[in-house]
Amino acid sequence: MSKRVTSGSELVISGISRAFGAVQALDRFSLTIAPGELVCLLGPSGCGKTTALRIVAGLEKSDAGTVMIDGEDLLAKDANQRDIGMVFQSYSLFPNMTVAENIAYGLRVRKKSKEQINKRVAEMLELVSLQSKMNSFPHQLSGGQQQRVALARALAIEPRVLLLDEPLSALDAQVRTQIRDEIRRIQIESGTTTLFVTHDQEEAMAISDRVGVMQHGRLEQIDTPNTLYNKPETTFVAGFVGITNYIPSVADSKNEVQVLGQVLEISEHSSVVKKGEEVRALVRPESIHVEKASHGAKIITKSFLGPMTRVGVDAGLAELIYAEMSSKEAKKFDTGDHVKISITTEMVMVESV
Ligand code: ATP
């Protein structure tokens, strides 16, 4: 990773709540983002991600709680006094202004000198690699280019915090990955403290220092992508981050569970269960081992994912069990093959059914 500039600001959100009629969009939501850090809020539709972001931006009021930047109370300020840069899903560029004029906009509003504006616009054009488009109008640019201009415009004012609300969702898959990586590069280069909102877990895991998984207006867990994936603290997080099999199982005791005929330890953070209770065990596809057999379970689907291949196995359960293996290993298997499946971890998370 490139060297981090740590001139960014610290953003501290403490116990903010917001109700819309009977809907509690945010429920005592708290989050601290370190200077220069990129945190993604991830969660299903309606979990309150956008509301949190809009409160920080000053576009929405909170019913309770505080938001501080470097120890300064943000909620007391109007939106345009907050020194915050925003990029939305829709490009929201000014259609009648050129790329350079769009980028200069916030600087003009702040009454910067012509020299300062020209210098900063040139820096921003270089940062997003759009020097050759400075005199183009938004309609002459691709979606990805427009989003880069929106990013340059947001960063031109040297915001204390950058807020990104699903900035990639209007782009098609290939451009999306490219712009995603570019946003991360630019964010690291500028050292800007950033809050990013998305419902796309791959996107969140790919670009964040930490990901906060939200449910019902609260943070369920916030951790590095690696920890979230490997050590989820709730079954909701385990299910939301990455693909998970939910395998019907029976608890042998409060510590052990029978899954596909194997006795496994129940991990902490699981639901509390009783001996004999029917539960679901959460098992990642990479923890399912598949070997050839003469009868029994059968491969129904086979999906090539590049270096990995995922197979869906009918093991007589209501849902297919998914196993992931290297694509080299997967050459041995075809749909219709009979297989034996086993679990390669000694510990699983379980939830009550
Ligand atoms: P999405 O990914 O679908 O945008 P989200 O996680 O960003 O979802 P929010 O937009 O923050 O969720 O909405 C949280 C809840 O608050 C939802 O139930 C939503 O319908 C409700 N809500 C948000 N804004 C308003 C509003 N202005 N008026 C009424 N209800 C609202």
Side-chain angles (χ1 to χ4, degrees), residues 18-21 23-26 41-54 60 89 165-166 197-199 214 217:
R18 179 72 167 119
F20 297 102
V23 176
Q24 192 68 44
L26 277 181
L41 291 180
L42 175 68
S45 182
C47 72
K49 310 179 289 291
T50 301
T51 302
L53 193 122
R54 287 172 58 81
E60 192 70 71
Q89 173 181 345
D165 189 2
E166 305 259 4
V197 161
T198 182
H199 62 268
M214 289 184 70

Side-chain angles (χ1 to χ4, degrees), residues 100-101 103-123 134:
E101 287 165 352
I103 297 174
Y105 180 79
L107 301 165
R108 288 229 169 82
V109 171
R110 284 167 176 74
K111 308 249 184 297
K112 300 286 179 196
S113 70
K114 207 163 173 211
E115 293 72 41
Q116 282 174 315
I117 294 176
N118 289 345
K119 182 165 172 283
R120 187 73 182 147
V121 168
E123 282 169 9
M134 64 179 288

Side-chain angles (χ1 to χ4, degrees), residues 210-273:
R210 289 186 300 153
V211 177
V213 179
M214 289 184 70
Q215 184 178 216
H216 306 317
R218 297 189 90 154
L219 260 190
E220 184 96 359
Q221 183 177 353
I222 177 154
D223 257 310
T224 61
N226 198 321
T227 306
L228 267 191
Y229 187 82
N230 291 303
K231 294 204 171 100
E233 285 174 5
T234 64
T235 49
F236 174 76
V237 172
F240 201 77
V241 173
I243 287 190
T244 296
N245 292 294
Y246 292 85
I247 305 177
S249 308
V250 178
D252 268 3
S253 67
K254 69 180 183 21
N255 302 320
E256 286 183 330
V257 63
Q258 286 235 17
V259 194
L260 300 172
Q262 286 173 252
V263 177
L264 304 172
E265 214 178 307
I266 294 176
S267 76
E268 59 171 345
H269 306 308
S270 295
S271 308
V272 177
V273 296

Side-chain angles (χ1 to χ4, degrees), residues 151-170:
L151 189 63
R153 185 178 62 177
L155 288 173
I157 59 162
E158 296 183 71
R160 297 209 278 179
V161 170
L162 177 65
L163 303 175
L164 302 161
D165 189 2
E166 305 259 4
L168 304 166
S169 51

Side-chain angles (χ1 to χ4, degrees), residues 11-19 24-32 41 47-58 60-68 73-76 82 163 195 214-219:
L11 177 69
V12 181
I13 302 171
S14 307
I16 55 171
S17 292
R18 179 72 167 119
Q24 192 68 44
L26 277 181
D27 182 13
R28 291 159 288 164
F29 172 84
S30 297
L31 168 70
T32 295
L41 291 180
C47 72
K49 310 179 289 291
T50 301
T51 302
L53 193 122
R54 287 172 58 81
I55 288 174
V56 175
E60 192 70 71
K61 291 220 164 357
S62 67
D63 302 330
T66 59
V67 180
M68 315 282 268
D73 180 7
L74 206 61
L75 298 185
R82 292 189 182 191
L163 303 175
L195 181 57
M214 289 184 70
Q215 184 178 216
H216 306 317
R218 297 189 90 154
L219 260 190

Side-chain angles (χ1 to χ4, degrees), residues 160-181:
R160 297 209 278 179
V161 170
L162 177 65
L163 303 175
L164 302 161
D165 189 2
E166 305 259 4
L168 304 166
S169 51
L171 305 174
D172 62 42
Q174 210 179 346
V175 180
R176 213 179 153 125
T177 312
Q178 191 196 333
I179 302 291
R180 175 184 88 189
D181 293 347

